[in-house]
Every structure is written in C-alpha cells, then in structure tokens.
Amino acid sequence: MKSKSFSSRTLDANALKSFAHPLRLRIYELLDEHGPSTATKLAALVGQNTGATSYHLRELAKHGMIEVAQGMGRGKEKYWRIVLGGFTYGDTPPDPEAAGALEFLLDDLVRQRGAELTRWRAEAAGAPEEWVQASGFGRRSLRLTAAETGEMRDAVFEVLERYRGLSDRRVREDAAAGSQDRAAGHVVVHFDVLPIGAGDGEEGE
C-alpha cells in the first residue's frame, strides 16, 4: 500500500509498534477531537487510573505523536496536545512485528471511520443547518489505470494538505490567544482509493 505523505511525517517501525495499542489510540482520538487535556481528565474518559494514562501519554510523546501544551495548567499540572502536521503510516515495513502493528493500525482506521460515519448519521438531524449543508457523503465507481488512480490520489491529498495548513495555523493562533475560533469545528475527512478486485484478478465495477 502506497501512502503519499506530502508534508506529513512517516512513522518509523518503532513508532508503529508503540502506537498500535488500543488505549493509546483512544487517548490520541480524544486529544484530536477535544484538544489539550491532562492525564487525570483523560483517565476519567477512558476508565483508567492517572498513572496508566500518564505512562501512555509519555509513550505517545516519545514517538512525536503528542507534546506538552506550553502555557497551560497550573503548577505541575501538564496538558498534552497532538503534534500538528499529521502523519502517515507509509509502506509495509520489513520488520514482521512492525508489519503486524501496521495491520492493526489499518484495521483500527477502518473501525474509526465506521464509528465516525455512524456518529454523524445520528447527530446530523440535530446539527446546525450550516454544518449539515457543509457536510457530504460521496462515492464514485471509476474505470482508471493504476497511473491515473495515483494521480487522482495525489491531487486529492494536495487539497487536503492545503486545508491542513489552514487548520494548523488556526490551532496555533487559538493557542497564542488563549481562546478558540467559535466558527471553526472539528471536521473529519475520509478519503479512500480502493482498486476492488485487483488482488484476486477480478475486474472492478
């Protein structure tokens, strides 16, 4: 599986193996959705003790997934936030343990996407109209060559990276101002390119 990274960093084998942990994935999801938080607050959300969440936060930080949110908290209280810029899993590594971790992470990505789509379907009826109008579901079944498919993938990722840059700037500005832009929400974009049947010799639709 090829993964175009653009400005995103690619996780190395050690980072893949560390990240492939259910609790760490959940902690990362919570920080991504809700913003900076402490080990104590996260412990209450995931049903663990503070010592456990502190350990997993340190492991995520060790591999550059999260960082301390400077200027937040009192005394020894420490807030953590995700590192801006994003990341990619890259190609399948030669290390069998890392390759197994990648498979775990990809399966979890499928789970997360399904959960997010199901959540939006449930929430859409009560969401502000401007967000309902801005949202969208899309699927296209196309007849393309491998080269054309790669070109399309790269073009879409270039657009996503442009908006990632806008998002990252807003997060930095909000942190500097100590407040959040109320017009901006947590938006999730799903994008997959799947050559159905390519692995078993069958033709796609």
Side-chain angles (χ1 to χ4, degrees), residues 34-94:
H34 300 294
S37 189
T38 65
T40 301
K41 292 179 180 179
L42 289 166
L45 292 173
V46 299
Q48 297 286 326
N49 60 58
T50 302
T53 51
S54 292
Y55 169 74
H56 290 299
L57 285 164
R58 290 194 301 271
E59 283 297 304
L60 288 168
K62 177 181 176 182
H63 296 286
M65 308 298 295
I66 65 173
E67 62 187 2
V68 174
Q70 300 295 338
M72 298 187 67
R74 298 177 180 176
K76 294 183 179 180
E77 187 178 46
K78 188 180 294 184
Y79 275 76
W80 297 90
R81 65 185 177 195
I82 64 170
V83 171
L84 299 179
F87 61 87
T88 179
Y89 293 147
D91 300 330
T92 302

Side-chain angles (χ1 to χ4, degrees), residues 11-20 88-89 91 93 98-99 101-102 105:
L11 300 188
D12 61 22
N14 289 330
L16 287 173
K17 288 184 279 190
S18 179
F19 197 35
T88 179
Y89 293 147
D91 300 330
L102 175 59
L105 289 167

